Amino acid sequence: MKIGMGYDVHRLVEDRKLILGGVEIPYEKGLLGHSDADVLVHAIMDALLGAMGKGDIGKHFPDTDNKYKSISSLKLMAQVKELLTSEGYSIINIDSTIIAQRPKMAGYIEEMRTNIADVLNIEIENINIKATTEEGLGFTGEGLGIASQAICLLK
C-alpha cells in the first residue's frame, strides 16, 4: 500500500472558465493556467503520481509544452491512470478538498465525483470531494485564487 498527497493552487482571473473536477462552474472568474487549470484534478494527479514515486504533474505535463495548452485536465488524468495501471497499481480511495471562498461548490460535487470516477475507472464511493472556505482569510478567502488538496491510497 502506498499513500500520496497532492496540492495545487491557481489565481482567479477574468475571461477564463472556472473548471473544477471537469465541471464548468458559472462564475465571473476562472483559474489562470497553461491547461484548464483544474486545481482539483491537478491535486489528485499529484497525489497519484506521488504515491507511485513518479514526481508531479509538472514533470509529466510541463507548462512549456504547447501540446498541453488549454487541455482538459481530465485528459491528463487519463494518462496518469494509464501509468498507474502499467505500474500494476490500483486505487483504493481518494479524499480531496477544494478551498475557495466562492463560488459555492455543493451543487457540483456529485458531477465532479462522477467525472473523476469515470476517468480513473473506479467506483464513485471511493472518491470523496469536500469544499471549504477560509473564512475570508488568505488568498483563497480574499477570492484571489482557489486551492485544492488530495490524498490517495494505492495498492
Side-chain angles (χ1 to χ4, degrees):
M1 302 255 213
K2 293 195 172 193
I3 295 171
M5 193 281 276
Y7 174 80
D8 195 37
V9 60
H10 285 275
R11 177 183 306 275
L12 281 164
V13 296
E14 294 181 2
D15 300 319
R16 288 275 297 195
K17 293 179 180 178
L18 178 57
I19 299 173
L20 294 168
V23 177
E24 186 175 333
I25 298 171
Y27 192 57
E28 69 230 18
K29 295 180 179 179
L31 294 168
L32 181 62
H34 187 69
S35 66
D36 62 5
D38 186 330
V39 294
L40 174 61
V41 172
H42 292 184
I44 292 171
M45 288 191 298
D46 270 349
L48 294 169
L49 290 166
M52 290 187 285
K54 298 292 184 185
D56 62 16
I57 62 173
K59 175 181 175 182
H60 293 267
F61 312 108
D63 63 7
T64 55
D65 191 332
N66 279 335
K67 72 180 172 185
Y68 303 122
K69 179 77 175 149
S70 302
I71 194 169
S72 165
S73 294
L74 291 176
K75 289 183 180 180
L76 302 179
M77 182 178 268
Q79 292 180 42
V80 171
K81 169 60 174 164
E82 288 177 19
L83 176 62
L84 193 140
T85 301
S86 74
E87 295 281 325
Y89 289 104
S90 61
I91 299 168
I92 304 290
N93 76 308
I94 296 168
D95 188 25
S96 58
T97 305
I98 301 166
I99 306 161
Q101 194 65 35
R102 55 194 174 283
K104 297 296 182 192
M105 303 291 163
Y108 305 99
I109 286 177
E110 287 309 306
E111 186 177 357
M112 292 177 196
R113 291 177 69 216
T114 298
N115 289 344
I116 294 165
D118 287 349
V119 170
L120 295 177
N121 193 30
I122 62 175
E123 297 297 320
I124 195 167
E125 56 266 5
N126 295 328
I127 299 173
N128 189 53
I129 300 171
K130 306 173 294 295
T132 189
T133 69
E134 290 195 297
E135 304 298 328
L137 300 173
F139 71 92
T140 58
E142 293 173 12
L144 300 176
I146 294 178
S148 186
Q149 299 175 340
I151 190 165
C152 71
L153 180 62
L154 303 182
K155 70 173 180 175

